[in-house]
Amino acid sequence: MIEIRNSIAVITLRTPPLNFLDVALRKQIADDLDRAQADPDVRGIVLVGSPDAFSAGADVNEFGTLLQSAEPTLATVIGRLDACQKPVVAAMSGVVLGGGLELALACHGRVALETARLGLPEINLGLIPGAGGTQRLPRLVGLQTALELMQSGTPQTAKQLEASGLLDKVVEQDLIEAAIEQAAQFAGMTAALPRARDRVLNAAQVQAFVQAWRDKLTARQRLQPACIAVLDALQAVALDWQEGLRLERELYVQLQTGPASRALQHQFAAERDAAQLPADLQTAPRLVSVMAVVGAGTMGVGIAICALDAGLRVVLLEQDESALARGRRRVGEHYQGRVAAGKMSASVAQGAEDRLTVSLDWTLLAQADLIIEAVFEDLAVKQDVFRRIDAHARTGAVLATNTSYLDVDAIAQATSRPQDVLGLHFFSPANVMKLLEVVRGKDTAPEVLATGMALGQTLKKLPVLTGNAFGFIGNRIYNAYRKQCEFMLEDGAWPEDVDNALQDLGFAMGPFAVADLSGLDIAWRMRQAQAPTRHPDERYVAILDHLCEKGRLGRKAGAGYYTYTDGKQCKTTDGVVRGLIDQASFQRGIARHTLSAAEIQRRALLAMVNEAALLLQEGVASRASDIDVVLVQGYGFPRWEGGPVFWARQQQRQALDRDVQSLAREAGHGFVVADLSVLVD
Ligand code: NAI
């Protein structure tokens, strides 16, 4: 839509809610630009969006479809801007992302509300900006800021970018008026209109900057083609304009059709889908504004913090004064730390703390819309706590357990209202980790599940529905994976061989370093509890138990699989551990042999894939893609590999079946071979 004000044509982008640059909007902009150009009464042009969005960029639903390349493409629209004889000013508010920012970069001027959020999130989908953004941005803001915006994918506010060179004006209000004024000012100039593309950067400086950053890439960044492509594109800023654009395009196309971007696009879609309950369970959630948390330990405190951050009122309960005081102190320290680090204003932190009540008085539970317990992982303790919760909670309150492994039904049976009980499995640290497993007990009402999912969204988590099975989705797959990694120790690998191979694949940490970090005693206790029911023919690797017997409980004890000096992990395992491993191999009658990194990676992935298929067969997971969300968000599975299900779909089916059979032979009793066809949509 065009409106003429003071001889300036104001073109409004109007595709709610976020002005995604789909083919219809691209056409509208191109047509409006043509009309404004042709109108002799128009001296300048302003492009404006809505208060929520100038434009959130490309429409991901068009990805991989013909619509994405349908004319006018974004490059075509931007070409019109480049050729425009009249000054064009972008008036930006709300989100200005990806293609939206690239559009603005091609305008002659940019004016923004100080709260506007500008960013290039393409990297999150394994891409780089593909419509000139990699070439224009550094010409305006310099190499360093351009790299930060492209490499992090995180938007910055206009206020933060005020001095960057990106914006001609940052205003608190009257955005359109300011943009009109800017356009009029340009129109009155005798000099050529300013264009980012006309600026020239020093080629030697570009070269040196890019080389320095190539050397600084982390191991995980090196595994991601888009991180390297960002630098390749930056380097092209030293080239002739057309040549730079051509190179950007080439890199973009290569990335878009490459495996990492496809995996990231899969994750993106999987996360969006996971937040939706299956159709038969969809119903309106109950309202939650007051949350009670029972147990102020590691998890209780983390859960309380994320509820406070989301604006809820929180009642935190404990069993004794000292645990309560410790929990309260931890919440206080958290907010002090955020303020000290400049991550939160003192008033926001104060507001959060004001919403918190800590108490030993369990009658306060009656105030809560949702109650979650995070007490010790012990069924009897939890059942007792749920009996007490049941006695005080109001009718209609949702009752949740944060258990990692226990049977949600057995916990629900301790109450008079199992339909109101569900599992809400947060991950540690609960205020940081995005994953939330929403566990459906056999009696859980759909409305209660819907409330769990909605709460997840309120707390800015990624909620994933799971059935009530030992370890739910995540810990069950992780157990299968860890077990497989332990088999590989007996077969001939050292812990560092396994950890390094999996880190090379992109895992944040290998399983043995993770085990040391969490503490081996937790697993040890669980193994002892399971010992009476363990089948004698099951392949059981006792190395961890022997480590614990020697007091090597992990990082906190200074030694576990690895030794630690001043908290720093020694890269290789010591003689004690190797001796225990050698002995384990000997006792199983295995002649130790070297396992290649590829073999280690494949076995670990296959173990996950088989378990993933079992979870689907058993109905614990309702969608294959949910499993990928859980592994990526909760277990450090490399996002750009898409998750175990995505990985499996890239493999040759016969080879997968053959290799899973071979895992089964080696694992002996208890290894159930899944029907892998359930993983294919
Ligand atoms: P923790 O030991 O740090 O905290 C437990 C707290 O519960 C203690 O402060 C204790 O005083 C309190 N408590 C125990 N019995 C109580 C009772 N009867 N009434 C009131 N308060 C009581 O334990 P953590 O690590 O926070 O774990 C809590 C729960 O969260 C467990 O079920 C655990 O499996 C689960 N979880 C733990 C994760 C972790 O990484 N730590 C991750 C995900 C879930």
Side-chain angles (χ1 to χ4, degrees):
M1 194 197 79
I2 306 187
E3 188 194 353
I4 313 284
R5 289 168 61 177
N6 298 343
S7 308
I8 303 295
V10 178
I11 299 178
T12 305
L13 279 49
R14 220 168 254 175
T15 308
L18 292 174
N19 283 328
F20 284 118
L21 288 161
D22 59 14
V23 67
L25 182 56
R26 298 195 301 261
K27 186 158 173 9
Q28 181 219 317
I29 301 170
D31 290 349
D32 285 353
L33 279 174
D34 284 349
R35 258 188 290 153
Q37 276 254 65
D39 186 339
D41 294 334
V42 167
R43 298 170 61 224
I45 300 164
V46 165
L47 286 183
V48 65
S50 70
D52 289 338
F54 176 73
S55 164
D59 180 358
V60 283
N61 293 324
E62 285 190 353
F63 273 26
T65 71
L66 288 175
L67 288 175
Q68 194 188 6
S69 49
E71 287 292 348
T73 62
L74 185 56
T76 306
V77 176
I78 284 177
R80 302 263 171 104
L81 286 174
D82 261 347
C84 194
Q85 300 300 314
K86 296 176 182 174
V88 186
V89 173
M92 299 177 283
S93 49
V95 290
V96 188
L97 301 176
L101 181 55
E102 291 186 281
L103 188 68
L105 289 170
C107 293
H108 303 101
R110 282 154 298 279
V111 176
L113 268 191
E114 60 178 13
T115 50
R117 293 168 57 75
L118 292 78
L120 292 169
E122 287 82 352
I123 193 103
N124 298 326
L125 288 179
L127 299 170
I128 58 170
T134 67
Q135 304 302 295
R136 288 190 178 87
L137 185 64
R139 285 175 159 85
L140 287 171
V141 302
L143 296 160
Q144 181 68 38
T145 308
L147 178 71
E148 274 164 30
L149 280 164
M150 291 194 281
Q151 200 76 281
S152 73
T154 313
Q156 295 190 23
T157 60
K159 186 142 188 69
Q160 287 169 313
L161 290 165
E162 192 161 11
S164 67
L166 178 59
L167 303 165
D168 298 277
K169 245 188 250 166
V170 176
V171 294
E172 283 177 36
Q173 55 193 13
D174 301 329
L175 173 69
I176 297 182
E177 289 70 15
I180 289 175
E181 195 184 308
Q182 184 70 50
Q185 194 186 324
F186 283 143
M189 292 191 328
T190 43
L193 290 171
R195 295 190 308 178
R197 59 177 284 179
D198 297 329
R199 299 192 183 189
V200 179
L201 298 188
N202 179 296
Q205 275 171 9
V206 171
Q207 184 64 33
F209 176 89
V210 171
Q211 191 50 49
W213 276 96
R214 279 193 204 285
D215 297 340
K216 277 192 236 172
L217 284 177
T218 64
R220 271 166 82 81
Q221 285 175 323
R222 279 176 217 279
L223 290 171
Q224 301 174 62
C227 290
I228 297 167
V230 162
L231 289 174
D232 292 343
L234 267 187
Q235 192 163 340
V237 174
L239 303 174
D240 151 79
W241 172 255
Q242 288 303 341
E243 187 54 20
L245 270 195
R246 197 195 56 73
L247 206 108
E248 177 197 75
R249 191 78 223 145
E250 198 177 296
L251 290 166
Y252 181 89
V253 170
Q254 256 171 26
L255 289 171
Q256 202 187 22
T257 51
S261 178
R262 280 193 297 121
L264 288 160
Q265 288 172 40
H266 160 79
Q267 255 302 311
F268 181 84
E271 285 170 11
R272 198 186 43 197
D273 294 348
Q276 299 293 324
L277 282 172
D280 57 328
L281 290 175
Q282 281 181 13
T283 178
R286 296 181 191 166
L287 275 183
V288 177
S289 57
V290 181
M291 185 160 151
V293 181
V294 181
T298 310
M299 293 306 286
V301 165
I303 295 168
I305 288 170
C306 56
L308 292 170
D309 284 347
L312 302 190
R313 265 187 55 215
V314 176
V315 180
L316 186 57
L317 296 173
E318 256 290 345
Q319 58 181 350
D320 64 61
E321 196 67 65
S322 76
L324 187 67
R326 194 186 52 221
R328 178 68 190 84
R329 202 176 52 242
R330 284 198 203 158
V331 175
E333 284 165 3
H334 166 81
Y335 284 111
Q336 277 160 23
R338 301 277 296 166
V339 173
K343 298 249 155 66
M344 191 179 265
S345 74
S347 63
V348 171
Q350 190 58 50
E353 291 204 58
D354 288 348
R355 286 192 294 279
L356 175 68
T357 307
V358 296
S359 179
L360 295 176
D361 177 7
W362 287 45
T363 62
L364 295 185
L365 286 174
Q367 301 179 358
D369 305 310
L370 183 143
I371 300 163
I372 180 164
E373 69 70 27
V375 302
F376 301 139
E377 183 77 346
D378 178 302
L379 184 59
V381 173
K382 292 211 192 267
Q383 284 175 326
D384 184 49
V385 163
F386 264 80
R387 262 180 228 112
R388 293 180 66 188
I389 292 175
D390 192 28
H392 296 292
R394 69 165 174 77
T395 306
V398 171
L399 316 185
T401 169
N402 182 45
T403 182
S404 308
Y405 288 98
L406 298 173
D407 179 359
V408 172
D409 292 333
I411 294 172
Q413 288 313 317
T415 72
S416 61
R417 39 179 137 176
Q419 73 282 1
D420 288 334
V421 177
L422 84 169
L424 288 178
H425 184 215
F426 286 82
F427 287 70
S428 183
N431 53 311
V432 176
M433 297 289 285
K434 302 260 296 176
L435 181 62
L436 175 68
E437 285 183 321
V438 176
V439 188
R440 180 187 190 184
K442 74 174 166 41
D443 297 315
T444 311
E447 197 183 295
V448 169
L449 281 179
T451 309
M453 299 298 282
L455 178 75
Q457 307 259 18
T458 307
L459 302 186
K460 301 208 168 65
K461 301 288 174 201
L462 282 167
V464 177
L465 179 68
T466 157
N468 175 32
F470 182 80
F472 314 126
I473 294 176
N475 280 342
R476 169 124 168 232
I477 294 192
Y478 196 79
N479 274 346
Y481 158 80
R482 215 201 45 224
K483 225 174 184 178
Q484 188 58 228
C485 292
E486 291 183 355
F487 293 167
M488 292 193 264
L489 295 187
E490 273 189 351
D491 291 345
W494 301 121
E496 57 268 39
D497 298 333
V498 177
D499 281 355
N500 291 341
L502 291 161
Q503 267 190 300
D504 288 350
L505 188 71
F507 273 88
M509 286 170 89
F512 298 110
V514 169
D516 271 0
L517 186 64
S518 337
L520 305 187
D521 45 334
I522 302 174
W524 190 29
R525 271 204 302 279
M526 195 181 304
R527 286 156 173 250
Q528 284 167 332
Q530 290 167 342
T533 52
R534 192 172 298 125
H535 194 280
D537 294 339
E538 181 184 331
R539 182 172 178 185
Y540 178 73
V541 179
I543 296 165
L544 179 142
D545 309 50
H546 297 320
L547 287 170
C548 291
E549 284 155 16
K550 289 184 182 300
R552 299 181 60 133
L553 301 181
R555 192 180 276 255
K556 63 186 169 191
Y561 285 101
Y562 299 95
T563 51
Y564 296 84
T565 319
D566 299 328
K568 220 174 141 12
Q569 181 199 312
C570 181
K571 292 249 176 292
T572 50
T573 42
D574 65 7
V576 178
V577 173
R578 292 189 173 196
L580 285 175
I581 295 173
D582 269 334
Q583 193 189 350
S585 307
F586 175 75
Q587 280 172 351
R588 196 166 296 282
I590 293 174
R592 293 180 63 75
H593 60 279
T594 308
L595 276 74
S596 70
E599 193 179 347
I600 291 170
Q601 292 166 352
R602 188 164 175 86
R603 280 179 62 173
L605 287 166
L606 285 168
M608 288 192 185
V609 167
N610 188 62
E611 207 64 29
L614 288 176
L615 284 168
L616 277 168
Q617 268 171 253
E618 294 165 18
V620 177
S622 40
R623 285 185 206 95
S625 60
D626 284 357
I627 295 172
D628 286 346
V629 175
V630 169
L631 268 293
V632 167
Q633 289 294 338
Y635 297 83
F637 193 105
R639 198 179 161 82
W640 61 93
E641 292 287 349
V645 173
F646 183 84
W647 178 83
R649 288 178 183 164
Q650 314 308 307
Q651 308 303 308
Q652 212 222 343
R653 180 58 205 285
Q654 274 174 338
L656 270 188
D657 281 329
R658 182 198 63 214
D659 293 349
V660 168
Q661 288 294 347
S662 121
L663 284 197
R665 275 193 303 278
E666 308 240 326
H669 183 87
F671 188 104
V672 182
V673 175
D675 171 7
L676 300 186
S677 62
V678 292
L679 295 180
V680 182
D681 271 345

